[in-house]
Amino acid sequence: MGKKDIETRLIHGFFDRQQHFGSLAPPLYQTSTFTFANAEQGEARFAGNESGYIYSRLGNPTVNEFESKIADLEGGEAGLAFSSGMAAVSAILIALVKTGDHILVSEGVYGCTFGFLNIMKDKFNVDYDLINMDNEEPIKGKIKNNTSVIYIETPINPTMKLVDIELVSKIAKERDIFVVVDNTFCSPYLQQPLKLGADIVIHSATKYIGGHGDVIAGLAVGPDNFIQNVKMTTQKDIGGVLSPFDAWLLIRGLKTLAVRMDRHCSNAHYLFEKLKSHSKVTNIVYPGDPEFYNHQLVKRQMKNFGGLISFEVKGGKQGAQRFMNELQLIQVAVSLGDAETLIQHPATMTHAVVPEEERIKMGITDSLLRLSVGLESEQDIWNDIETALNKIN
Ligand SMILES: *Cc1c(COP(=O)(O)O)cnc(C)c1O
């Protein structure tokens, strides 16, 4: 029997149903600790001479099931679950760098990742450079002798800029540099960075993987020895572990990832066509636009175009806020990848801390809005948008 398709692997897991009364759904081991049969067993487990659970910060069967699934879905050796996307980002970076190292980062990374890089810089002398990774030469030019990690996000929020994972991985491999990719926006259903040469994949599972707006969680996938090392050092001792119940919800969410992503993508494509031809929309950024600056790379690297659209409306900040306030169905909220369509205003929300000049340079103007297209009827979402658009001047 060959390896099953991703649609199937999302649904079927690894636990042995017959060991669990034939339970169809994975059992939830909502426990903090595990009892030992006797003192000697406890000693053997701590010594690593016997496998088995000890304490849920060091491992839990429900969490492990989720970790095995994400490793399989990303095509990596091992997975590790965290209490948030940021717990994953910070634990992985701490594990990879030491004082005096340098990290090369793709421009426009998630705000809190940027915040964490600054903590590392100010407190631990780990330097970084943020660069545009559109071309090979600037990447090579910015690599230093002490560069130990290249950290990428693609596509980037909210400007949808892309990074060529294969190209960056090739450059990094020649120099023994680790490539870390934050794959939150695509999920493993649309993009698999390890297959393109990256070393480690990170997710905020809060977004598409959970998919229902009810969990905060993070993930990392990579080589087994590296992941085990993170698990027993930076994760165990800093402590950002996932709760068993949240792991259980996420396993549930994964089952529908393929059907949800297909719908997110088709709804987004429908809305893109509508928005593009509306007179109140002055600019639109969507990887599925044939005129998108890097459409060729999108087609090479991603299976479909994703569920996010950024667009500008007439009337500057006032127009953008008026538009948001007129929406009835679409909810004003940050986050993305949920069943509900969400809209946010990057200039005053997710990117409010970015200095204005830099923000404008990145393309985040006062009239830019980011839409996370949900799973509702495409017609209902459009009716809501059109009604609101017609109320701005
Ligand atoms: C949300 C997000 C994060 C942080 O994840 P949390 O689960 O909120 O901690 C990291 N990277 C990207 C791209 C995100 O969208």
Side-chain angles (χ1 to χ4, degrees), residues 83-89 109-113 151 153 155 157 182-185 202-207 215-218 335-336 370:
S83 54
S84 68
M86 286 319 302
V89 170
V109 284
Y110 186 71
C112 301
T113 300
Y151 188 95
E153 223 174 89
N157 175 38
D182 181 332
N183 199 26
T184 300
F185 274 29
I202 289 176
H203 283 281
S204 167
T206 310
K207 316 293 167 57
V215 181
I216 299 270
S335 199
L336 56 106
R370 191 208 59 202

Side-chain angles (χ1 to χ4, degrees), residues 48-328:
N49 296 331
E50 180 190 301
S51 64
Y53 293 97
I54 295 174
Y55 183 67
S56 281
R57 181 156 41 76
L58 319 184
N60 172 283
T62 310
V63 177
N64 281 9
E65 172 71 9
F66 179 51
E67 292 171 335
S68 301
K69 291 197 69 152
I70 192 64
D72 176 60
L73 297 168
E74 286 286 3
E77 287 178 9
L80 195 55
F82 296 84
S83 54
S84 68
M86 286 319 302
V89 170
S90 54
I92 293 297
L93 285 177
I94 290 173
L96 285 174
V97 301
K98 58 182 189 312
T99 297
D101 279 2
H102 172 254
I103 309 176
L104 198 56
V105 185
S106 63
E107 218 167 48
V109 284
Y110 186 71
C112 301
T113 300
F114 180 63
F116 181 69
L117 290 168
N118 285 321
I119 295 176
M120 295 287 275
K121 183 177 166 131
D122 296 344
K123 301 194 76 156
F124 306 111
N125 190 30
V126 174
D127 203 4
Y128 69 86
D129 274 305
L130 284 171
I131 64 158
N132 177 310
M133 294 195 182
D134 276 354
N135 297 301
E136 195 165 341
E137 288 319 311
I139 305 172
K140 286 183 171 167
K142 281 286 186 184
I143 290 176
K144 303 178 182 180
N145 289 334
N146 58 340
T147 303
S148 52
V149 175
I150 301 183
Y151 188 95
I152 304 172
E153 223 174 89
T154 178
I156 268 167
N157 175 38
T159 55
M160 311 287 171
K161 284 256 164 70
L162 258 69
V163 176
D164 186 334
I165 299 171
E166 202 166 10
L167 171 70
V168 170
S169 301
K170 191 176 74 101
I171 297 170
K173 255 234 163 106
E174 290 162 3
R175 295 162 177 81
D176 272 338
I177 297 170
F178 266 91
V179 175
V180 180
V181 179
D182 181 332
N183 199 26
T184 300
F185 274 29
C186 284
S187 87
Y189 184 64
L190 296 186
Q191 175 171 278
Q192 294 172 356
L194 301 181
K195 297 199 173 135
L196 299 169
D199 298 291
I200 294 152
V201 171
I202 289 176
H203 283 281
S204 167
T206 310
K207 316 293 167 57
Y208 288 107
I209 288 177
H212 293 74
D214 49 15
V215 181
I216 299 270
L219 287 166
V221 179
D224 190 45
N225 59 357
F226 172 75
I227 291 292
Q228 293 317 320
N229 179 46
V230 174
K231 183 176 169 71
M232 296 318 284
T233 59
T234 56
Q235 186 183 52
K236 172 172 78 66
D237 299 335
I238 297 174
V241 294
L242 188 64
S243 84
F245 181 59
D246 287 348
W248 188 87
L249 285 173
L250 290 155
I251 294 167
R252 198 174 196 266
L254 272 180
K255 292 188 186 190
T256 56
L257 181 69
V259 285
R260 285 188 287 109
M261 289 312 287
D262 285 346
R263 174 69 168 237
H264 283 300
C265 292
S266 68
N267 274 0
H269 206 272
Y270 175 87
L271 294 172
F272 157 71
E273 301 278 357
K274 294 284 188 192
L275 284 163
K276 186 153 182 151
S277 57
H278 197 285
S279 64
K280 301 279 174 62
V281 176
T282 53
N283 182 30
I284 183 159
V285 198
Y286 168 65
D289 184 347
E291 290 165 35
F292 183 71
Y293 88 108
N294 220 342
H295 192 60
Q296 288 312 313
L297 177 60
V298 175
K299 292 212 290 199
R300 181 150 50 84
Q301 188 161 281
M302 293 163 61
K303 178 173 161 180
N304 201 334
F305 307 126
L308 297 163
I309 302 175
S310 293
F311 60 97
E312 289 175 303
V313 294
K314 283 196 172 159
K317 178 179 167 183
Q318 218 185 350
Q321 292 190 327
R322 174 85 201 272
F323 170 72
M324 294 171 94
N325 290 338
E326 292 293 343
L327 293 166
Q328 304 284 321

